[in-house]
Amino acid sequence: MGHVRTALVLIDRLVPGCAPRPGDHLVTKHGLDAFEDTGLDGVLRRERVTGIVVAGLSTAHGVAATAGTALRLGYGVVVVEDATASPDEARHREALDRLTALGARTARVADLTAAGE
């Protein structure tokens, strides 16, 4: 089974290990929320995915929008707190706290790679 990856233009040039692989589903975001007008929910449901791991550039914007929609759609959500960012630590923590209050879990990259998630 492939993975589902959201992609920005030229992401493979930014992070070579993130380039799509054969069998992966590529989802191109048109705004903040990876679920908005992308068909992502349909792809995840067809693949019987029940949880997602979210990382990204802006904790309070794209990450929060995508994680919030995933929670509303019934997915389990893990936000990778050291693979997201905000202009300062206070806003980063505030966004993470809002997401955990909605039901998301947080984890660090090392936790996820050690657990094999």
Side-chain angles (χ1 to χ4, degrees):
M1 180 184 327
H3 291 86
V4 179
R5 299 169 190 264
T6 59
L8 300 173
V9 176
L10 304 176
I11 194 166
D12 60 321
R13 290 188 185 172
L14 297 173
V15 184
C18 288
R21 298 179 203 128
D24 283 355
H25 299 277
L26 189 61
V27 177
T28 302
K29 286 174 48 174
H30 303 285
L32 294 176
D33 186 344
F35 285 92
E36 185 178 347
D37 297 325
T38 64
L40 178 57
D41 184 42
V43 170
L44 295 175
R45 298 220 186 267
R46 278 193 302 281
E47 296 285 338
R48 294 189 167 93
V49 172
T50 60
I52 66 168
V53 177
V54 182
L57 183 61
S58 177
T59 313
H61 298 101
V63 170
T66 298
T69 297
L71 288 163
R72 284 190 297 282
L73 292 171
Y75 294 98
V77 175
V78 176
V79 177
V80 188
E81 63 183 86
D82 57 343
T84 64
S86 290
D88 58 60
E89 183 62 21
R91 285 189 260 185
H92 179 67
R93 289 267 37 112
E94 182 180 312
L96 291 173
D97 290 346
R98 278 195 315 269
L99 290 169
T100 57
L102 293 173
R105 291 185 311 131
T106 60
R108 301 182 66 73
V109 170
D111 300 330
L112 295 175
T113 55
E117 287 190 85

